[in-house]
Amino acid sequence: MTDFRSYYGRPVVRPAVWRKDIAGYLFTGGLAAGSALLAAGADLTGRPGLRRVGRLTALGALGASTYFLVNDLGRPARFHHMLRVAKPTSPMSVGTWILAAFGPAAGLAAVSEIAPRLPGGPARTAATAAGRAAGLAAAAVAPALATYTGVLLADTATPSWHEAYPELPFVFAGSALAAGAGMALVAAPLAETGPARRVAVAGAALELYGSHRVENELGLLSEPYKQGRPGRLLRAGRALTAAGVVGALLGRRSKVMSVLSGAALLAASVATRFGIFEGGIASAADPRYTVVPQRERLDRITRTPSTPVTAAPERAPAQD
Amino acid sequence: MDNAASPAAASGYADPPRRMGFFTDTSVCIGCKACEVACKEWNGVPDDGFNLLGMSYDNTGGLSANSWRAVAFIEQPAPPKAPDGGAGDLRWLMMSNVCKHCTHAACLDVCPTGALFRTEFSTVVVQEDICNGCGYCIPACPYGVIDQREGDGRAWKCTMCYDRIGDGLTPACAKACPTQSIQYGPLDELRGRAEQRQAKLHEAGETSARLYGNDPGDGVGGDGAFFLLLDEPEVYGLPPDPVVTTRDLPKMWRTAGLAALTMAAAVVAAFVGRSR
Amino acid sequence: MAEAHPVGFQWVVDAKQRGAKVIHVDPRFTRTSALADRYVPIRAGSDIAFLGGIVNHILSRGLDFREYVLAYTNAATIITKDFRDTEDLDGLFSGWDPEAGVYDPASWQYEGHQEDSPSVAEVAAHKEVAGGLRHESHGAPVGRHTQRDETLQDPRCVYQILKRHYSRYTPEMVQEVCGVPPDVFAEVCRAWTENSGRERTTCLVYSVGWTQHSVGVQYIRTGAIIQLLLGNMGRPGGGILALRGHASIQGSTDIPTLFNLLPGYLPMPHHAQHPTLDKWVEGTIHQAQKGFWGSARAYCVSLLKAYWGEKATPDNDFCFGYLPRLTGDHGTYQQTLDMIDGKICGYFLLGQNPAVGSAHGRAQRLGMANLDWLVVRDLYEIESATFWKNGPEIETGEIVTEECRTEVFLLPAAAHVEKEGSFTQTQRMLQWREKALDPPGDCRSELWFFYHLGRLIRQKLADSTQPRDRPILDLAWEYPTHGPHDEPSAEAVLMEINGYTLPDRQPLSGFSELKDDGSTVCGCWIYSGVFKDGVNQAARRKPGTDQDWVASEWAWAWPMNRRILYNRASADPDGKPWSERKKYVWWDPERNEWTGFDVPDFEKTKPPSYRPPDGATGPAALAGDDPFVMQGDGKGWLYVPSGLIDGPLPTHYEPVESPIRNPLYKQQFNPTRRYYDRPDNPLNPVGSTVFPYVFTTSRLTEHHTAGGMSRTLAYLSELQPAMFIEVSPELAALRGLRPLDWAHVVTTRAVVEARVLVTDRLRPLRVENHAVHQVWLPYHWGYAGLVTGDAANDLLGIALDPNVLIQESKVGTCDVQPGRRPTGRALLAYLADYRRRAGLSEGNQRG
């Protein structure tokens, strides 16, 4: 059923009032998570260069994330009100506590990178040990950090976000891995980037699979992800992901290729996040995406086609 | 304790009063907008701008942070004549829209600061000294009610005049409504009255009359503010079959958990057994 | 009603929920129509044809409530043989005097009462001063004994005259003239007649959509004829409810702010007709007539005592000589034109905004720009206070701020919650208002203003020896005051209006206690009783839920707290209710008195069987079955032998601006209409192709009158934020009008621009076999306030109903064009071009 009725073509649900900060946070949060995981793995397998890049990126991205989140608030000075409650029904509340756990851990891990500059002995050892512990703690929280945002978006009435709830955590997990790997390819010593390349492949696979489902398996609700700016962003993201992975695999020995493919993976992650974000907003702004699936659902339940009281569809306003 | 019967009790109130609500009977709405003005007067809500919208007589443009009651106007051809004759071939539907104060309120569920809370009357209210404008409630609401106020940053919506009903008074909109299109009272009583009204309209040949939001079995557990409509909900800008997003949250967390594990496993696999 | 009286409309909704059928007749589908069971679209200005069709339906099928009609109306009364109807004279009645511009009503009189007829000169003078207005509380003088044919067969009886008069108002004619389809018309006829009679009554409700026409009074008369024929007058659930345009406008005619009336509808004396008190009293009553108007002398003298107190004595005719005298037409529109002509020096405007609220806005503003001084008292800086620096004439250069000679004083007024006093609404109910808070700053009530203005003027004149100053100096002007601003006591004024005896100042219980010897004071005889027993009856607030359905203990209605007038008619000639279901007031034979749910509108102890002795006059002349106690013959008048300028029977005339010729008669317009034929008051020619569309104006719920009290408030302004025009989709296509774009409306007076709202609620009507397009404008806008726009009233010219001088503002012709209007000098050129194309020259209307 493509014919539907609405109130002068006005939205039924409200699009999120979040600004680009939140789409940006999706990226930086994922980057922080991916980087923390890579850093922990690097720490445990003796890859200090990779470790350092991971830890510093994690902290930097976390800092950016915090800025984005606080800046987007209607009352930024009241950001700490988030800590008043811990509500499992609120992904944002859950996320607040995830960040509260991740932040200090990532921070300590990053700070501990000055350990080599410390005078030898107990100070250095302590710093290194603290760093490892913190890094592992951050890595333990990182998967939650990367995937809870999928739930954050899905736990709304925004049709294309909600309908994509089985996919979004996987898309975001993949995107986080690819971003982390991308940063490693850009900044870490070539010799230590092996795991990053494998993580890039895994991340890309998750991201591409999830995105494909989102763009094709949601019926009418896939439409906002395929058209307009969201469509362009998601397609760019896919292309950049593909290019980045190919480049990552082929460029094992080339710094230039590695940097380029890393950059592509980072850009892909940005594009994908913005594409998902804007696709959802678009699905909320057009009443079609709220009304049609609900009306179809109702008609299936009553097993009769809806018989509207009047035959005429609504007149759209002239300035449409 | 049945959450639907008393969300207040389910929220932890020891001995809450009866659940209070609105029944808006659009069949007697005359579109006078007294509800809009009374609400703003009582609650000090700012004006929403002077914009001619061209949507019949609706220049309010729906519910928002600055419009907690908003009257919708729909001019349409009238349904085929009922046996005893109709008004002619034209119909003008009017409805005073308001926050539904859902039994299962998504805005309340997702609020990360605890600003939104369930009152002892089972209504849903925002505490404006706590809200930090995170904006999460806004896309969560299946009816598109709650909104962020420009220049202020916080989320605002109908309080069902919490500061009036606490003193046994009637909410401002219901008090001002001249035709009792807006009725306030104990929700179970209102539901009974609404069913009678619908039956009466059907008897009189107005078969398009239907109740909306009155069913505790619907996707939000029934609304604390429900309606009698004369056409499909979407004609009025209402969702045909709203479902509280929280209903799917357990599955969402499970999916996220799975994705998180997959993510961790992928990283582990990338590092295991390779020296390079 | 839902638009303009939303709170009152709840009772209609209530009734509908109890099974009442609601029919709404209007040029456009409004929020009232949305709740009605049946909406009837009608061409603006054609209501007499519509109603006449219903009269025809009733009479040709014999559906009238025969016993009621026979006993309680003048249906059986015989008219003189010289009477000729519009059917005979192609749209005129007999007696037309083209030079005088009025009829000689001698041939209209009841048989045997030709001498009752006023002369042509009297009628002409009557027309000048809108004498018809004073019949609001009583009928015109007519002797009591009339000749009747109880079989209603005599061709000269009113019933037969009525039948003939409306015989051509067939359903086909209704369709042709009004654009109402025959099946819809049939439904209305059926519903109305089937819901009238012993067991059921139908209520007719109208408002200014009926009054503001050059035949406005006759519109209402037609409604009254139907309600009398169907036996709905004086009965519960029946009657005619006249909704007003303002919350206390009933009060403004009861205690009048009109030039030709004194309180209680006593006529303002005329310089030639009323040189003495006796002549004045005589002019107020007719010697041989029945009814309570016979006691007019007492009402007049008591009023004079209220004005001049102890200075008013029998020796000086109770200061009758001090009353101002009418010299002609002092109506507001004549005054406006006089202002333009430089004949008026000063003007007080209190809560009135003629710059945008009266017809012919340009004339209003040009008039006000040609005064010595203007005092405006209002809550806001309204357009009438700023025309000298803002407004259309400033734009066009017709008024130049630096050169405008009027000195304008703007004084702040208290709002209605900031002062105490009474409102009188459409049911003649006086409701007292308490003061809720003090007015801010310098804002003051009208009472304060006039009291102190009078006090100061008297102070300044205190040493004067001029005779012309005596009326002011001899006024009884002592009222108790209180508070820091010396606010006069409104209750003291109400007490004076109620009346009291002298010298002991005992409050009167009703007008029957008034004396003509100077021993009683009464500011308004119909209000007497409002302070009965020294209790402010208008302040009573016993909830309706604690009373019976008549709720007489809520506030107070005049006269005597009677809620339904002429309620004797709710019982049959023997005094028994017409039905148990509709009983209201009835004769109790045990107690020998009238009793019931309301104050009987009849002498309490006069039995139904009473027949007056020969030669009786006044109340004693009323029989036990004469329910219409204020009419000269005690009957409801289907046919009006005298008192109305334009005829004894309502007749369809076209509005002064119409797209078509009168399909019924050669006579196009109301021949007696008031029209000011001057170059600054042009009218669009009939059937002009330059002005092919019909426009009508009315209200929106969201705004109030010309917007002074609503467009100054954000919460109301945002509900309807812009001046707009409603057009049908057909007209939009015809003229290229797009939704929300601009369009402008043109008449020979002005151009007004508005945003377009295309809606199916307006339809082209099939009139005389071609489509007549109607457009609608709200008249709430002006150039001051939070939201501004052009004023619809600028489009109107000045043409008035001859009986009451109300302007025809509900219908006119116009052109509609897309886009904004020109401004400045270009606007004047644009208008001039239209006038030229319409073929306008000097004196453009005849007929």
Side-chain angles (χ1 to χ4, degrees), chain B residues 25-34 36-37 40-41 43-60 66-67 73 75 81 84-94 176-180 197 200, chain C residues 2-3 6-7 9-10 13-14 16-18 21 28-31 33-40 183 187 700-702 713-724 726 740 755-763 776 786-787:
Chain B
D25 178 0
T26 69
S27 70
V28 294
C29 176
I30 57 174
C32 71
K33 307 176 190 170
E36 294 194 35
V37 177
K40 292 207 180 197
E41 292 264 318
N43 292 295
V45 178
D47 70 80
D48 223 350
F50 305 138
N51 310 300
L52 188 71
L53 298 179
M55 305 186 329
S56 187
Y57 280 5
D58 178 0
N59 294 307
T60 303
N66 292 343
S67 291
F73 292 82
E75 299 174 31
K81 272 191 180 180
D84 70 336
D89 50 10
L90 196 60
R91 203 158 77 140
W92 203 356
L93 305 179
M94 302 174 202
C177 177
T179 57
Q180 279 81 58
R197 175 72 182 146
K200 194 149 170 242
Chain C
E3 297 280 349
V7 178
F9 193 72
Q10 69 181 291
V13 173
D14 253 17
K16 192 177 164 198
Q17 286 173 308
R18 289 197 305 273
K21 180 161 177 166
R28 89 191 215 286
F29 189 105
T30 68
R31 280 173 274 203
S33 326
L35 272 284
D37 294 295
R38 160 59 69 185
Y39 162 67
V40 180
D183 57 335
E187 190 188 320
L700 295 162
T701 310
E702 296 88 338
L713 300 175
Y715 288 164
L716 293 177
S717 296
E718 63 172 332
L719 299 177
Q720 291 286 8
M723 175 60 174
F724 63 99
E726 291 190 348
L740 289 183
R755 308 280 291 286
V756 174
L757 192 69
V758 180
T759 171
D760 281 324
R761 292 180 290 102
L762 274 171
R763 300 280 179 71
W776 175 87
L786 291 174
V787 294

Side-chain angles (χ1 to χ4, degrees), chain C residues 615-818:
Chain C
T617 63
L622 285 169
D625 61 353
D626 282 336
F628 292 89
V629 298
M630 297 308 287
Q631 297 297 104
D633 56 357
K635 303 297 183 201
W637 283 4
L638 295 167
Y639 169 104
V640 176
S642 86
L644 292 180
I645 309 283
D646 40 10
L649 291 171
T651 298
H652 173 74
Y653 296 115
E654 288 291 317
V656 298
E657 291 190 345
S658 170
I660 61 169
R661 299 228 54 96
N662 190 342
L664 279 160
Y665 313 104
K666 182 155 142 265
Q667 179 59 30
Q668 175 76 8
F669 317 105
N670 181 347
T672 62
R673 73 202 177 284
R674 290 302 298 275
Y675 166 58
Y676 303 89
D677 189 357
R678 27 190 294 164
D680 52 11
N681 190 33
L683 289 179
N684 300 355
V686 174
S688 168
T689 51
V690 176
F691 301 109
Y693 310 125
V694 172
F695 76 93
T696 186
T697 64
S698 68
R699 304 185 187 215
L700 295 162
T701 310
E702 296 88 338
H703 283 297
H704 186 57
T705 60
M709 286 174 72
S710 60
R711 284 183 299 102
T712 40
L713 300 175
Y715 288 164
L716 293 177
S717 296
E718 63 172 332
L719 299 177
Q720 291 286 8
M723 175 60 174
F724 63 99
I725 178 175
E726 291 190 348
V727 300
S728 67
E730 291 82 355
L731 183 60
L734 205 60
R735 274 287 193 256
L737 309 171
R738 285 151 39 87
L740 289 183
D741 273 1
W742 287 96
H744 58 275
V745 182
V746 191
T747 65
T748 48
R749 275 80 52 190
V751 190
V752 156
E753 62 181 14
R755 308 280 291 286
V756 174
L757 192 69
V758 180
T759 171
D760 281 324
R761 292 180 290 102
L762 274 171
R763 300 280 179 71
L765 296 176
R766 197 112 212 109
V767 170
E768 275 221 311
N769 251 328
H770 67 274
V772 166
H773 292 278
Q774 301 191 104
V775 300
W776 175 87
L777 297 154
Y779 77 93
H780 300 297
W781 267 268
Y783 43 88
L786 291 174
V787 294
T788 58
D790 282 353
N793 284 331
D794 282 10
L795 295 170
L796 301 163
I798 302 172
L800 315 179
D801 175 292
N803 296 294
V804 295
L805 299 184
I806 195 97
Q807 74 282 348
E808 182 151 76
S809 43
K810 286 295 172 177
V811 59
T813 54
C814 66
D815 189 17
V816 182
Q817 293 288 345

Side-chain angles (χ1 to χ4, degrees), chain A residues 5-8 10 12-18 33-34 37-38 41-42 45 47 50 72-75 78-79 81-82 84-85 87-94 142-144 146-148 151-158 162 165-166 169-170 173 176-177 191 194-195 198-199 202 206 290-291 294-295 297-298 306-310 312 314 319, chain B residues 53 55-56 58 61 63-64 72-74 76-77 79 91 108-114 128-136 138-148 152-154 208 210 230-243 245-246 248-249 251-253 255-256 258-260 262-264 266-267 270-271 274-276:
Chain A
R5 306 164 81 205
S6 73
Y7 185 71
Y8 303 99
R10 310 272 291 197
V12 174
V13 296
R14 273 193 188 279
V17 297
W18 296 327
L37 282 166
L38 280 172
T45 58
R47 292 175 168 88
L50 183 59
D72 193 74
L73 291 175
R75 289 285 177 106
R78 291 185 179 181
F79 71 90
H81 286 195
M82 300 291 202
R84 292 178 81 253
V85 302
K87 266 165 82 165
T89 60
S90 170
M92 192 179 282
S93 177
V94 170
T147 56
Y148 96 90
V151 180
L152 180 77
L153 294 189
D155 194 23
T156 60
T158 299
H162 186 96
Y165 78 74
F170 287 98
L177 288 177
R198 289 188 282 276
V199 165
L206 278 175
T290 304
V291 174
Q294 290 186 14
R295 178 50 61 193
R297 185 166 65 224
L298 279 180
S306 91
T307 40
V309 174
T310 75
E314 295 314 302
Q319 68 269 44
Chain B
L53 298 179
M55 305 186 329
S56 187
D58 178 0
L63 295 172
S64 70
F73 292 82
I74 302 114
Q76 55 172 218
R91 203 158 77 140
L108 173 55
D109 287 342
V110 303
C111 176
T113 60
E128 300 300 346
D129 51 348
I130 294 173
C131 174
N132 64 8
C134 80
Y136 199 13
I138 291 157
C141 173
Y143 300 100
V145 171
I146 193 165
D147 186 27
Q148 186 180 48
D152 177 277
R154 293 171 288 183
S208 62
R210 72 203 65 198
L230 297 176
D231 201 340
E232 293 177 326
E234 53 263 47
V235 170
Y236 296 88
L238 297 166
D241 183 29
V243 176
T245 183
T246 324
D248 299 322
L249 189 57
K251 282 187 272 185
M252 293 183 203
W253 283 133
T255 309
L258 202 56
T262 310
M263 193 184 180
V267 173
F271 280 93
R274 314 286 178 112
S275 54
R276 292 203 56 221

